[in-house]
Amino acid sequence: MRIVALAGGIGGARFLRGLREAIGPEDEITVIGNTGDDIHLYGLKVCPDLDTVMYTLGGGIHEEQGWGRTDETWSIKAEMKEYGVGPEWFGLGDRDFATHLVRSQMLTAGYTLSQVTEALCVRWRPGVRLLPMSDDRIETHVRITDEQGTRAIHFQEYWVRLHAAVDAEAIVPVGADTAKPAPGVLEAIAAADVILFPPSNPVVSIGTILAVPGIRTAVAAATAPVVGLSPIIGGAPVRGMADKVLAAVGVEATAEAVALNYGSRAALRDGTDEGGPGHREGLLDGWLVDTADESSVAAVEAGGIACRAVPLLMTDVPTTAEMARAALALAEQVRA
Ligand code: FO1
């Protein structure tokens, strides 16, 4: 079975580790990774979500933190500080720096981000095919208003420096409108037997991947069932700032609202989805909510999306593998 998963950072990576446990030897996973969180620092290209997936699946992740390398040291950061060179608020460790050096060196030599990611994965052997959503530069910016006025800042500054403490007014994936999907992305979606949306951020992770022209339409038109897992449990994100960025796009931070915002693919199939200006295709056939949100199942189903309530806290790999099995089982149930 060919499984395609769209993934952000920590939540996506942890889900994929469970998914890898849940599948058989003949199954294969292609991950389409978000690159909207990418940031250029010290002349280097840093790809937090691709690296988080690669390190998590490759056994090199700092487990408690969820990002960065295990057994990390911080000499370069301390040296940069002595030169007065920041940003101090973004933690790049020595071991992690090596990844950004190799990536940037290869990009400067003319390789694409897809080629570089493939090369980095030769070391990490993540057990999945990891594709960036695009080889083109895309950076998510967040519009905020604070004492300095209204301005757009990089997503990493919003999240890491400001801890999402200021309201997000708008989310803009800068560069997405003219970007192309990376080689293999549309082909993988078209050839998939199952498409999964892990419990990643629906706006700045999966939403950004879907913002690359062609990807949203390819998912909506895929022959494979599309099943998502809610990143919202009991009205709050399990981790991260999904509530803040959902508010910016006018969506309530509930498992039900996130599903209905992705929309149902049934409308497309039964012809009630007529298109027109501002039209967005529905994407989901199935949706998993946590047992804490069991009461939202009926409303999601009324929206044309098959819904089940199962435990969705990724406490360890076996529990996460159970979630993945539930997602694959739902995909079989909704297969047209
Ligand atoms: N998250 C933090 O909360 N603080 C950091 O200093 C930080 C540095 C960092 C460096 C490399 C990397 O790959 C990820 C890093 N993250 C850090 C995580 C990252 O900001 C976000 O969690 C993701 O971009 C959201 O998916």
Side-chain angles (χ1 to χ4, degrees):
M1 186 166 54
R2 286 160 296 194
I3 303 167
V4 168
L6 276 50
I10 302 171
R14 288 186 176 161
F15 174 75
L16 291 167
R17 198 161 51 178
L19 177 63
R20 199 179 50 180
E21 283 294 303
I23 63 170
E26 68 289 350
D27 299 325
E28 51 187 63
I29 304 170
T30 298
V31 178
I32 301 172
N34 173 41
T35 57
D37 290 16
D38 293 6
I39 185 165
H40 289 76
L41 293 171
Y42 319 109
L44 304 177
K45 184 173 177 75
V46 180
C47 298
D49 285 1
L50 294 180
D51 290 350
T52 298
V53 169
M54 193 171 73
Y55 295 159
T56 302
L57 296 179
I61 198 75
H62 185 301
E63 281 294 338
E64 293 74 38
Q65 210 167 240
W67 54 268
R69 291 293 314 281
T70 186
D71 300 323
E72 187 56 283
T73 56
W74 300 91
S75 298
I76 302 178
K77 193 168 194 313
E79 289 293 318
M80 299 303 281
K81 188 176 177 190
E82 292 301 323
Y83 283 113
V85 174
E88 271 188 54
W89 49 265
F90 201 71
L92 288 186
D94 301 333
R95 304 183 98 190
D96 198 21
F97 251 106
T99 304
H100 315 313
L101 283 168
V102 174
R103 173 184 294 121
S104 305
Q105 187 180 31
M106 287 186 71
L107 288 171
T108 305
Y111 291 96
T112 64
L113 185 59
S114 307
Q115 291 169 325
V116 175
T117 305
E118 194 179 343
L120 294 172
C121 285
V122 170
R123 172 184 177 190
W124 290 103
R125 300 182 182 281
V128 302
R129 181 169 170 238
L130 176 59
L131 304 176
M133 63 190 196
S134 176
D135 283 338
D136 300 322
R137 181 171 172 168
I138 300 167
E139 282 183 12
T140 301
H141 285 213
V142 182
R143 196 182 79 209
I144 60 160
T145 301
D146 60 7
E147 61 283 353
Q148 293 176 49
T150 297
R151 62 211 165 90
I153 58 174
H154 192 285
F155 167 75
Q156 295 295 349
E157 186 175 359
Y158 180 71
W159 172 229
V160 177
R161 187 171 82 81
L162 300 180
H163 307 294
V166 186
D167 283 345
E169 297 168 352
I171 311 294
V172 185
V174 178
D177 50 347
T178 55
K180 287 183 297 301
V185 165
L186 297 182
E187 293 82 351
I189 293 170
D193 298 305
V194 176
I195 299 174
L196 298 177
F197 292 0
S200 291
N201 190 303
V203 181
V204 295
S205 298
I206 295 187
T208 309
I209 299 171
L210 295 169
V212 177
I215 296 187
R216 189 183 176 97
T217 307
V219 172
T223 51
V226 182
V227 172
L229 298 93
S230 177
I232 306 285
I233 297 184
V238 179
R239 62 182 304 142
M241 73 332 281
D243 48 343
K244 291 284 190 167
V245 293
L246 279 165
V249 297
V251 177
E252 229 187 311
T254 64
E256 170 190 334
V258 171
L260 297 176
N261 185 57
Y262 280 133
S264 161
R265 291 209 311 168
L268 196 70
R269 279 198 301 270
D270 68 18
T272 54
D273 184 337
E274 292 172 352
H279 166 79
R280 289 197 329 168
E281 303 97 337
L283 296 174
L284 291 177
D285 297 299
W287 185 243
L288 293 181
V289 299
D290 186 74
T291 44
D293 296 309
E294 197 146 16
S295 60
S296 62
V297 168
V300 176
E301 294 222 318
I305 300 163
C307 186
R308 306 283 181 270
V310 297
L312 288 187
L313 276 179
M314 296 189 282
T315 39
D316 52 32
V317 178
T319 311
T320 312
E322 237 1 87
M323 285 167 52
R325 283 187 201 99
L328 295 173
L330 183 54
E332 289 317 312
Q333 287 168 28
V334 298
R335 195 179 289 285

